[in-house]
């Protein structure tokens, strides 16, 4: 029987969080929506089910107790699952293979998840964390041997959660880096430096913000035997950077490239022409299978790939002229926290904290 293995995948139900580590037969989980399936490249016939809604029966032994008091409709969880289909598998296995397209719309779910199973690099610990109010993703990467770690785009409201996880995992956080000067939330890097001795902050030298490390094209941020490389990707702001893992298996694209979208270009030195060039020259030139981890998502999506975005992104598959017209006519309201966030983030997030 095909197994669906949930590997340290945490699902948030309100304030209750549960971690499942037990392989579960497909027959015990009701798949409600499948929004995307991609080839992981880990091994033959190994696939990653991206953003699925599942229902887990109450009666399953070993499942967390926090599900039991929750109404059935609230037990629909947004999970990141890894499927390992046996060679020559069943019809269900073949239906989920990348050669077959599933015509399912994007996942929309109120709950969010983070998962440790999405890194394909040996010796790399990886966590994707979510902040609900601004829909911001924070990323924790660490070397499993030295325990040195970096944190990407931390949010002030979740500083206690992030520090608790770092302590639990026994990590030595070396650098907290922002992909740009955010307008929708205040970074926690300034306050985190006060609570973690030796922690350094980092941001692009073109951001106009203060930090211990001012980043430029090609700079490397190292942690243990691993590193991420800076690629300057201006357009959303002048100081936007994307961070690419050493083996180019992952790219943390900030607000430059989102899943089936991109950052706005109508404030903070925004330029649709610069953004189009940045994405096409600095991100779309990465390998097709490189995983894209953005700074935000508003539809419950957690990850994409360079190949997917190059093919399906509704804005960035257009010509430059068409893209400029789209971006100049979005007519979006300004972020409601911009007046507080930008001044605070220019001084490492410690303004009036």
């Amino acid at each position: 029987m095909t197994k669906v293995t949930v590997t340290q995948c945490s699902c948030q139900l309100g304030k209750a969080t549960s971690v499942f580590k037990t392989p579960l037969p497909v027959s015990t989980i009701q798949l409600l929506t499948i929004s995307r399936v991609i080839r992981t490249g880990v091994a033959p016939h190994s696939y990653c089910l991206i953003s699925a809604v599942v229902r887990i029966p109450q009666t399953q032994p070993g499942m967390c107790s926090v599900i039991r008091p929750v109404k059935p409709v609230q037990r629909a969880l947004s999970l990141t699952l890894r499927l390992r289909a046996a060679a020559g598998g069943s019809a269900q296995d073949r239906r989920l293979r990348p050669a077959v397209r599933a015509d399912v719309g994007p996942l929309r779910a109120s709950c969010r998840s983070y998962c440790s199973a999405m890194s394909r690099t040996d010796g790399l610990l990886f966590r994707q964390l979510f902040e609900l109010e601004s829909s911001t993703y924070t990323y924790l990467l660490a070397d499993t041997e030295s325990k040195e770690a970096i944190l990407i785009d931390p949010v002030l409201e979740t500083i206690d959660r992030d520090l608790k996880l770092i302590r639990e995992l026994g990590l030595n956080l070396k650098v907290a880096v922002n992909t740009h000067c955010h307008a929708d939330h205040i970074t926690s890097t300034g306050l985190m430096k006060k609570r973690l001795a030796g922690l350094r902050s980092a941001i692009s030298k073109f951001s106009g913000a203060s930090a211990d490390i001012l980043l430029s094209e090609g700079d490397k941020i190292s942690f243990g035997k691993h590193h991420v490389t800076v690629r300057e990707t201006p357009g959303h702001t002048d100081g936007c950077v994307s961070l690419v893992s050493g083996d180019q298996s992952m790219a943390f694209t900030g607000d430059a490239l989102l899943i089936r979208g991109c950052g706005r270009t109508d404030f903070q030195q925004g330029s649709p022409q610069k953004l189009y060039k940045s994405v096409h020259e600095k991100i779309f030139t990465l390998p097709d299978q490189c995983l894209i981890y953005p700074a935000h998502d508003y539809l419950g999506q957690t990850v994409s790939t360079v190949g997917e975005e190059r093919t399906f992104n509704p804005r960035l598959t257009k010509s430059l002229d068409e893209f400029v017209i789209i971006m100049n006519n979005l007519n979006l309201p300004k972020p409601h926290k911009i007046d507080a966030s930008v001044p605070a983030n220019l001084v490492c997030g410690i303004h009036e904290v």
Side-chain angles (χ1 to χ4, degrees):
M1 178 182 295
T2 302
K3 300 284 186 180
V4 175
T5 303
V6 185
T7 308
Q8 294 183 336
C9 185
S10 177
C11 305
Q12 187 170 347
L13 294 171
K15 293 184 179 179
T17 301
S18 56
V19 179
F20 310 124
K21 297 182 180 179
T22 307
L24 302 169
V26 167
S27 60
T28 68
I29 297 180
Q30 179 188 354
L31 289 172
L32 302 180
T33 304
I34 300 172
S35 57
R36 196 181 317 123
V37 179
I38 64 170
R39 182 78 174 268
T40 66
V42 175
H45 309 291
S46 182
Y47 303 92
C48 184
L49 179 60
I50 306 296
S51 300
V53 176
V54 304
R55 192 185 304 280
I56 303 173
Q58 281 186 333
T59 56
Q60 275 304 303
M63 303 307 292
C64 64
S65 61
V66 298
I67 295 179
R68 300 183 185 277
V70 182
K71 295 178 182 179
V73 70
Q74 293 174 301
R75 291 200 298 268
L77 309 178
S78 176
L79 295 175
T80 303
L81 304 174
R82 182 177 297 278
L83 275 79
R84 294 187 181 277
S90 65
Q92 184 180 14
D93 300 335
R94 291 190 294 272
R95 181 169 57 85
L96 295 177
R97 291 180 184 174
V100 180
R101 179 173 177 265
D103 291 307
V104 181
L107 172 68
R108 298 174 187 267
S110 60
C111 55
R112 295 298 178 100
S113 62
Y114 69 84
C115 181
S116 63
M118 292 303 299
S119 169
R120 301 199 298 258
T121 304
D122 290 340
L124 178 66
L125 181 148
F126 171 66
R127 295 291 188 275
Q128 181 184 44
L129 305 157
F130 184 73
E131 193 278 315
L132 185 61
E133 184 179 359
S134 62
S135 297
T136 298
Y137 284 124
T138 297
Y139 299 98
L140 176 65
L141 291 84
D143 180 87
T144 55
E145 293 182 7
S146 70
K147 300 296 184 180
E148 291 186 349
I150 64 171
L151 194 64
I152 300 172
D153 287 335
V155 181
L156 183 61
E157 284 78 4
T158 54
I159 185 172
D160 291 331
R161 176 204 65 188
D162 297 345
L163 290 177
K164 180 175 181 287
L165 179 61
I166 290 165
R167 287 194 301 268
E168 289 174 343
L169 298 176
L171 302 178
N172 176 19
L173 189 62
K174 305 294 289 185
V175 179
V177 55
N178 286 291
T179 54
H180 61 291
C181 184
H182 300 276
D184 54 2
H185 68 270
I186 297 176
T187 178
S188 66
T189 52
L191 185 58
M192 194 173 287
K193 285 171 59 180
K194 294 184 177 182
R195 295 171 62 174
L196 282 181
L199 176 64
R200 296 190 297 167
S201 59
I203 198 168
S204 167
K205 70 176 184 180
F206 297 112
S207 66
S210 60
D212 299 310
I213 305 169
L214 296 179
L215 301 169
S216 300
E217 177 76 19
D219 286 351
K220 290 180 171 58
I221 304 174
S222 298
F223 51 104
K225 66 180 180 182
H226 303 285
H227 70 270
V228 292
T229 302
V230 174
R231 293 194 175 197
E232 293 173 349
T233 49
H236 172 62
T237 74
D238 275 350
C240 286
V241 297
S242 295
L243 304 171
V244 181
S245 63
D247 60 0
Q248 296 192 347
S249 65
M250 298 186 293
F252 303 90
T253 55
D255 283 15
L257 178 63
L258 307 179
I259 299 174
R260 305 300 191 267
C262 62
R264 61 195 294 175
T265 58
D266 58 336
F267 63 88
Q268 281 187 290
Q269 313 92 40
S271 166
Q273 291 88 352
K274 286 183 180 179
L275 182 58
Y276 190 90
K277 181 178 179 181
S278 293
V279 173
H280 279 266
E281 294 184 2
K282 299 293 183 67
I283 301 175
F284 282 176
T285 52
L286 291 165
D288 280 357
Q289 67 273 20
C290 177
L291 298 172
I292 296 295
Y293 288 105
H296 302 280
D297 190 83
Y298 308 96
L299 300 177
Q301 303 165 115
T302 57
V303 63
S304 185
T305 68
V306 169
E308 282 186 45
E309 295 307 313
R310 195 190 297 117
T311 303
F312 300 117
N313 192 293
R315 296 177 184 174
L316 289 154
T317 51
K318 305 293 186 183
S319 69
L320 174 58
D321 290 341
E322 290 172 316
F323 179 76
V324 170
I325 292 172
I326 291 171
M327 299 306 293
N328 286 342
N329 289 277
L330 292 179
N331 299 317
L332 298 172
K334 73 174 186 178
H336 72 278
K337 281 190 172 183
I338 186 172
D339 294 332
S341 297
V342 172
N345 291 331
L346 287 173
V347 289
C348 207
I350 58 174
H351 176 64
E352 294 183 355
V353 171

